[in-house]
Amino acid sequence: MVFFDVIFTGLPAAPAPGTEVWARGMGSSPGGIANLAVAASRLGLKTGLAAGFGDDLYADWCWRTLSEQEGIDLRPSRRYPGWHTPVTVSLAMENDRSMITHGHHVPETTETILATTPASRAVMIDLADSEERHGPPWWERSAAQGALIFADVGWDPTGRWDPSTLDGLQGCHAFVPNCVEAMAYTSTDSPEAALLRLADRVPLAVVTCGGDGVVAVDSSTGEEAQCDALKVEAIDATGAGDVFGAALVVGTLAGWPLKQRLLFSSLCSSLAVQQFGGSLAAPGWGDIADWWSSTKRGAKTGVPGAVDLLQRYGFLTDLLPPGPVQGVRRAEATIARFSDP
């Protein structure tokens, strides 16, 4: 589903019952599966989104932002009169976030919305889809057509963490959960142990660990790799995992080595957490170019750690587009036709 996200940042503490807390920052943006779509589109992938939209003001704004501002193909999506947009309020605190959500299931199943699947090189799915399926999942058709299926999984509000959810990985190329999700679904007590379990299910298993980095196994290439997280001042972690996943798709389709894919994806997610607004915090190539220029200047002027970053990310020299790159738009506090730059 696409959600209308309202993100509060700079909170001194979580609100206690009967009290009011003022936030220093606030942003509004399309959320949910839109996080993945925007992140992929901003990194240069031709992106389509299949989701349900209501007919309220929130849906109008999300539709226009995604299609007109972000260039995402919404032809596979549908709008439903009388169905309201799900809303999530995210409280960004202590390098993480807590969320409150209200909404209802989309009137039609994803299988109905995607009666025919467009040709694609990669498909990104939410594995923990709560819909009742009758027959094989829709993405098997895409896989049969040659698409690589990248699966993510969301938080289980029931707390059951049913391991049968992982049965949906059959036919998927990659699975990219965070460490809490990975350990819960595999009943393990470390990200590394969870990774080994997941590597038996998919060719590319990746477990993200927030500030502790990421570990991965790609059995299709015989690679194992880990990557430390970049040290940044995070203000909002909303959508960071989605940005990581989209960047991983970019690197996988391009055939990069696993270590390089992890470094690039970690960089993209670290740039995202320094902005607020979920999907609209996703970096574009201009943000990556700015970071690389800043890192090179830091290496020349003796900024601690800059020389090491210059060595680790030297591959960016061959990836960055020549010349100026169009900037991307960020979230703002109010609902507008488009976000302000």
Side-chain angles (χ1 to χ4, degrees):
M1 289 196 293
V2 171
F3 295 74
F4 178 75
D5 281 357
V6 181
I7 299 98
F8 291 99
T9 63
L11 292 164
T19 67
E20 181 180 20
V21 175
W22 280 69
R24 291 194 299 272
M26 173 185 166
S28 302
S29 65
I33 198 66
N35 293 341
L36 274 170
V38 172
S41 182
R42 288 186 171 186
L43 289 175
L45 295 179
K46 184 178 180 182
T47 305
L49 174 63
F53 289 78
D55 61 352
D56 53 8
L57 179 61
Y58 292 161
D60 290 343
W61 183 80
C62 287
W63 186 281
R64 290 169 179 160
T65 299
L66 294 173
S67 61
E68 298 177 24
Q69 175 178 297
E70 300 299 330
I72 295 167
D73 183 358
L74 296 182
R75 284 179 295 177
S77 294
R78 299 190 185 183
R79 302 198 67 167
Y80 301 100
W83 184 75
H84 76 78
T85 302
V87 176
T88 293
V89 174
S90 179
L91 308 179
M93 294 178 295
E94 301 175 356
N95 294 325
D96 210 332
R97 76 274 189 259
S98 300
M99 294 179 286
I100 303 170
T101 296
H102 172 74
H104 305 280
H105 291 305
V106 178
E108 293 182 292
T109 65
T110 306
E111 278 79 3
T112 302
I113 295 175
L114 279 174
T116 58
T117 52
S120 58
R121 296 181 62 198
V123 173
M124 294 182 281
I125 64 166
D126 179 1
L127 191 66
D129 195 332
S130 60
E131 299 169 353
E132 294 185 5
R133 293 195 174 90
H134 303 284
W138 62 267
W139 61 81
E140 284 192 3
R141 298 195 300 272
S142 293
Q145 295 167 1
L148 298 179
I149 310 301
F150 290 75
D152 198 351
V153 67
W155 179 261
D156 183 358
T158 70
R160 292 194 299 266
W161 301 102
D162 186 353
S164 67
T165 299
L166 300 184
D167 294 342
L169 289 173
Q170 185 174 359
C172 292
H173 177 74
F175 185 40
V176 194
N178 65 38
C179 58
V180 174
E181 297 157 351
M183 291 187 291
Y185 278 117
T186 59
S187 300
T188 54
D189 57 5
S190 73
E192 293 76 15
L195 177 68
L196 293 178
R197 294 275 185 89
L198 297 174
D200 290 334
R201 290 181 173 268
V202 288
L204 175 58
V206 181
V207 176
T208 61
C209 306
D212 294 324
V214 56
V215 291
V217 173
D218 190 340
S219 60
S220 66
T221 61
E223 298 172 280
E224 297 183 19
Q226 69 85 32
C227 174
D228 295 331
L230 289 170
K231 304 303 180 184
V232 299
E233 186 173 344
I235 64 171
D236 180 14
T238 305
D242 297 312
V243 171
F244 183 98
L248 185 70
V249 172
V250 171
T252 301
L253 293 179
W256 300 345
L258 181 59
K259 181 75 171 186
Q260 185 171 315
R261 282 180 273 167
L262 298 186
L263 286 167
F264 180 75
S265 301
S266 297
L267 170 61
C268 289
S269 59
S270 74
L271 293 174
V273 300
Q274 296 177 72
Q275 306 287 338
F276 61 84
S279 63
L280 300 184
W285 282 102
D287 299 297
I288 298 169
D290 288 345
W291 178 85
W292 185 236
S293 296
S294 176
T295 300
K296 289 192 290 186
R297 288 195 300 271
K300 291 180 179 179
T301 57
V303 174
V307 172
D308 177 61
L309 289 176
L310 204 63
Q311 295 172 343
R312 291 167 63 194
Y313 283 90
F315 61 87
L316 287 178
T317 301
D318 296 327
L319 299 180
L320 292 171
V325 181
Q326 169 112 26
V328 296
R329 295 172 180 265
R330 301 300 182 196
E332 62 176 340
T334 189
I335 303 173
R337 182 176 176 85
F338 294 117
S339 305
D340 285 340

